[in-house]
Amino acid sequence: MNKKKPITPFGWAIKQRLTELQMDQKSFCELHGIPPSRLSNLIHGTRKAARHRQLVAKLLDIHPNEKY
C-alpha cells in the first residue's frame, strides 16, 4: 500500500519550474537554505509552511495561491 500523498497543483508547479531551471529539489534546497522536508511538505500538501511557501514561490517566480 502506497502511503505517499499525491502531489498538489502547487507541488506540480514547483516541480515544473525546477525542471525548467534544470535543478533538482536537493540542490534547490541547499542553494537557498530550505529544509528538504519542508519543500516536500509543500509539494505534497502535508503541511502549510506558509513562510517557506512564500519564499519558494518568490524564488521560483510562481504564485503560491494560484490554482494550477
Side-chain angles (χ1 to χ4, degrees), residues 4-40:
K4 275 194 165 189
K5 294 249 183 191
I7 297 174
T8 64
F10 183 63
W12 282 119
I14 292 170
K15 286 183 164 287
Q16 180 179 359
R17 188 67 178 122
L18 287 174
T19 300
E20 291 169 1
L21 296 171
Q22 297 181 349
M23 184 177 282
D24 62 13
Q25 290 175 221
K26 183 178 179 181
S27 299
F28 176 76
C29 289
E30 288 173 354
L31 181 64
H32 298 291
I34 298 169
S37 60
R38 204 59 74 230
L39 185 62
S40 179

Side-chain angles (χ1 to χ4, degrees), residues 31-58:
L31 181 64
H32 298 291
I34 298 169
S37 60
R38 204 59 74 230
L39 185 62
S40 179
N41 291 150
L42 291 174
I43 291 171
H44 295 284
T46 55
R47 191 172 186 178
K48 261 197 163 187
R51 182 171 58 98
H52 285 102
R53 183 181 183 92
Q54 296 296 327
L55 176 61
V56 168
K58 182 179 177 182

